[in-house]
Amino acid sequence: MSCQNAALELNSRSQPGPKSPERAEGVTADEDYGTRLLENQLSVGDFVKIQRAFESPEARKTICMSREEFMQRMTEVVGWGTKEEYGELYDKVDIAQDGFITWDKLTSFILLVLYEKEERAKSTVVPQWKDLEFLPVKHKETIQKVIFLKSSCRYLTISKEGLLGVWGENLKLQETLPITSDATKLKHLWVTSLVSLENVNKIAVAFTSKEICFYDLLSKEEFSCQYKLQGLKGTPICMDYWYDSLDANESILSFGDITGKVQAIAFTAALISLFERPASACEDEEATMTINWAELLSGCHKCCHILEHKLHHGDWVRQVTYNASLDAIISSTTSNTNTMVLAWREKSKKHLKMTSFNIAQGIHAFDYHSRLNLIATAGINNKVCLWNPYVVSKPVGVLWGHSASVIAVQFFAERKQLFSFSKDKVLRLWDIQHQLSIQRIACSFPKSQDFRCLFHFDEARGRLFISFNNQLALLAMKSEASKRVKSHEKAVTCVLYNSVLKQPARRENNEDKVLYDDP
């Protein structure tokens, strides 16, 4: 939480003195207790008085106060509150029991209180949704993936028959075009997955012909095939792509197949080239370059190396992802043994160390929240479980509420909430901290009992996509009215800091004068 936000929060309590003891309608006992705490009742004016009490007439000298001094001085300078209340505040600030506090210690504590309050408020906000909408897709077969291209602000959808839909950010269908390999044309094989390689402006498409094709988004002919990776031992059915935002040369394409194998290509010079072009290759840069999987395994391509494991023992790998904060590849199956596997990269970055989770009846999907360090799993046994990635023995939390198999989970990361979707087409939103369902949505989804579901939440734009075979449903969040207190009536065009007066100066739009905050 920024200092500016903290100041705005404090400005909302501009009147000095304690709040009314009457409890507002709908406010819980815990919330009521929180508002009655001294630190939640102090106004900006009160903090100015406290700051002056800590100021020393000598420059660069820090005033320290003991507990007794703080209690006595605060009751005098603030003008309200009991010594006992200021004593309790002192104890919270001096948690290290140094025997004294300073102005810096006090302000650090207040900022922490405001940050925690803001985090609690976020986690309890229940989103409001617009009416369910079905997008006018032209797919005739099952939709396999929905992705958003940040570079061009477009959505892509791809279906089993290889039809690619290109959508504007306003969700208007711009064009459709076939993405098929030569093998699919001849043998009527299917597309299984799609990922975006944002750092190199490409997409990768997996086919049941045991190949992965890489299409260039910047070529003269849009979506022209640049690389074709062939010779895979199993059909890849799920993929994931990650790149290092600090060094876009470092990236990982991971995929799982129907033989239970998890494989990953770790690129080390992605911005230069994903794969090395052989000397005998055609000079035409637009021509498709064919790469055999055996070449990658043998190390012929110095700009990448292979990571793989077979711990799923023949079970179809339903989902795979690489997570940088764990430095591990997470994969899952519907089996109850080695249901979820974390393959940790060792220091050499070229070997994996495995940890497996055995989950009763298996899972359909998972998601990981890096800040909470939690993995959520969509259980076939109707349960959503929360796991610490370092503890395989049992989950740290179980979310009960679904009456059918859970087929999808995804974190609402900013609010520390979790979506889950079940086979009976019930959508739930969970408060992770309290492990409670805070919203249940049962829309007019298609009545078909036999369907393949795709679940994708675009958090940045508040859009939830759920596919039912070749239909694509959209649940869009309503815009929320901000409750944040505004410091200016007009748009702030610049902020400056006056080192002499030691206070910020802000300039409002369409105003010639510079406004200084009151000292």
Side-chain angles (χ1 to χ4, degrees):
M1 182 175 185
S2 68
C3 292
Q4 183 185 12
N5 289 348
L8 294 177
E9 179 74 22
L10 289 169
N11 271 324
S12 66
R13 299 190 295 272
S14 59
Q15 296 300 320
K19 300 281 187 73
S20 170
E22 295 180 8
R23 186 186 300 178
E25 184 178 353
V27 176
T28 65
D30 286 343
E31 291 171 334
D32 183 54
Y33 170 74
T35 60
R36 288 188 283 108
L37 292 174
L38 179 67
E39 57 267 29
N40 291 331
Q41 298 184 65
L42 293 169
S43 68
V44 173
D46 295 330
F47 278 105
V48 170
K49 294 175 184 177
I50 296 172
Q51 182 183 18
R52 287 172 177 164
F54 276 96
E55 289 178 351
S56 171
E58 299 179 29
R60 298 183 181 179
K61 182 178 180 181
T62 302
I63 294 291
C64 301
M65 291 190 191
S66 67
R67 192 175 192 275
E68 290 299 322
E69 289 174 328
F70 183 75
M71 291 164 57
Q72 183 65 35
R73 289 283 290 137
M74 292 308 106
T75 52
E76 292 174 356
V77 301
V78 177
W80 64 272
T82 64
K83 287 186 177 181
E84 289 74 16
E85 288 177 317
Y86 286 106
E88 290 177 8
L89 176 58
Y90 176 94
D91 294 337
K92 294 174 187 176
V93 176
D94 187 27
I95 194 168
Q97 296 183 343
D98 295 324
F100 67 89
I101 65 170
T102 63
W103 171 246
D104 286 345
K105 279 188 176 183
L106 179 60
T107 52
S108 296
F109 169 75
I110 295 299
L111 283 172
L112 181 61
V113 168
L114 293 174
Y115 172 78
E116 291 175 345
K117 181 180 178 181
E118 186 176 57
E119 288 295 296
R120 286 195 300 271
K122 282 181 183 177
S123 67
T124 55
V125 172
V126 178
Q128 300 301 308
W129 304 93
K130 298 178 182 178
D131 292 338
L132 183 71
E133 176 185 355
F134 282 90
L135 300 180
V137 298
K138 293 187 178 180
H139 300 291
K140 292 180 170 54
E141 295 287 344
T142 302
I143 297 172
Q144 303 284 48
K145 201 71 177 282
V146 176
I147 62 173
F148 182 73
L149 301 177
K150 295 178 184 177
S151 58
S152 57
C153 292
R154 293 183 296 176
Y155 289 95
L156 297 182
T157 58
I158 197 164
S159 52
K160 191 176 175 181
E161 79 273 22
L163 187 66
L164 184 74
V166 182
W167 306 75
E169 193 173 11
N170 58 0
L171 293 178
K172 300 295 182 183
L173 183 61
Q174 296 178 345
E175 63 176 321
T176 57
L177 60 156
I179 294 286
T180 54
S181 69
D182 295 335
T184 56
K185 291 177 183 176
L186 295 172
K187 303 176 184 178
H188 303 290
L189 300 181
W190 308 109
V191 166
T192 59
S193 188
L194 162 74
V195 290
S196 170
L197 285 62
E198 287 281 354
N199 60 325
V200 291
N201 292 295
K202 293 175 177 54
I203 59 171
V205 181
F207 297 90
T208 52
S209 53
K210 300 179 183 178
E211 61 185 11
I212 299 173
C213 295
F214 298 80
Y215 297 88
D216 189 2
L217 302 179
L218 300 181
S219 61
K220 295 177 183 177
E221 181 185 346
E222 195 173 29
F223 301 107
S224 64
C225 184
Q226 186 175 14
Y227 302 108
K228 187 181 293 183
L229 178 58
Q230 297 181 327
L232 298 172
K233 300 302 180 184
T235 298
I237 55 174
C238 57
M239 290 195 298
D240 176 71
Y241 185 76
W242 166 89
Y243 71 91
D244 188 343
S245 58
L246 300 177
D247 180 8
N249 277 306
E250 300 286 335
S251 59
I252 294 176
L253 174 68
S254 52
F255 54 95
D257 65 26
I258 61 173
T259 70
K261 188 179 288 186
V262 173
Q263 297 159 306
I265 308 173
F267 300 101
T268 55
L271 295 180
I272 301 171
S273 180
L274 293 178
F275 305 101
E276 293 179 9
R277 184 174 290 272
S280 59
C282 176
E283 293 183 3
D284 183 6
E285 293 184 359
E286 296 292 324
T288 301
M289 176 179 160
T290 301
I291 300 132
N292 194 281
W293 182 250
E295 296 175 18
L296 300 184
L297 288 175
S298 64
C300 292
H301 294 258
K302 303 301 181 185
C303 54
C304 62
H305 62 269
I306 304 302
L307 300 164
E308 60 181 355
H309 74 79
K310 305 176 183 178
L311 209 60
H312 290 299
H313 303 305
D315 294 309
W316 285 30
V317 180
R318 302 291 179 172
Q319 185 180 347
V320 65
T321 187
Y322 169 77
N323 185 271
S325 61
L326 294 175
D327 198 11
I329 301 168
I330 312 174
S331 55
S332 67
T333 71
T334 54
S335 171
N336 58 7
T337 56
N338 295 331
T339 311
M340 183 169 62
V341 173
L342 270 68
W344 313 84
R345 288 207 295 173
E346 296 187 337
K347 288 184 178 180
S348 66
K349 302 293 185 182
K350 294 186 178 181
H351 297 92
L352 299 172
K353 181 179 180 181
M354 265 69 72
T355 302
S356 63
F357 294 71
N358 298 324
I359 304 174
Q361 298 182 41
I363 62 174
H364 283 297
F366 66 85
D367 194 23
Y368 176 69
H369 193 303
S370 56
R371 281 185 292 165
L372 295 176
N373 195 32
L374 286 176
I375 301 174
T377 55
I380 296 175
N381 58 3
N382 307 355
K383 294 187 290 187
V384 175
C385 292
L386 302 174
W387 302 83
N388 182 318
Y390 302 98
V391 180
V392 302
S393 56
K394 63 179 181 179
V396 296
V398 180
L399 308 180
W400 302 83
H402 284 291
S403 54
S405 176
V406 185
I407 55 179
V409 286
Q410 188 173 342
F411 280 104
F412 193 160
E414 179 64 26
R415 296 186 180 181
K416 298 179 182 177
Q417 296 171 346
L418 176 72
F419 287 105
S420 61
F421 190 69
S422 56
K423 195 79 173 177
D424 56 357
K425 306 183 184 72
V426 171
L427 174 68
R428 286 187 178 273
L429 182 64
W430 306 84
D431 177 347
I432 297 303
Q433 182 180 359
H434 299 98
Q435 298 186 13
L436 294 173
S437 175
I438 58 176
Q439 191 173 46
R440 180 185 184 275
I441 301 173
C443 295
S444 302
F445 296 123
K447 295 182 179 180
S448 172
Q449 295 298 314
D450 185 21
F451 65 93
R452 187 183 185 280
C453 172
L454 167 76
F455 189 92
H456 173 71
F457 178 53
D458 182 358
E459 183 170 336
R461 289 154 197 84
R463 291 168 173 169
L464 179 60
F465 298 91
I466 308 175
S467 75
F468 302 89
N469 297 329
N470 68 330
Q471 295 179 282
L472 185 60
L474 168 68
L475 269 175
M477 288 175 56
K478 293 180 180 179
S479 57
E480 297 172 348
S482 175
K483 296 181 180 178
R484 192 177 297 279
V485 179
K486 295 181 180 179
S487 59
H488 291 69
E489 293 182 0
K490 298 179 181 179
V492 178
T493 57
C494 66
V495 179
L496 301 173
Y497 180 75
N498 188 309
S499 58
V500 177
L501 298 176
K502 295 183 179 180
Q503 60 188 23
R506 296 193 290 267
R507 182 170 184 163
E508 289 188 1
N509 194 22
N510 297 328
E511 293 286 344
D512 293 330
K513 61 184 179 181
V514 175
L515 305 175
Y516 286 92
D517 285 357
D518 292 332

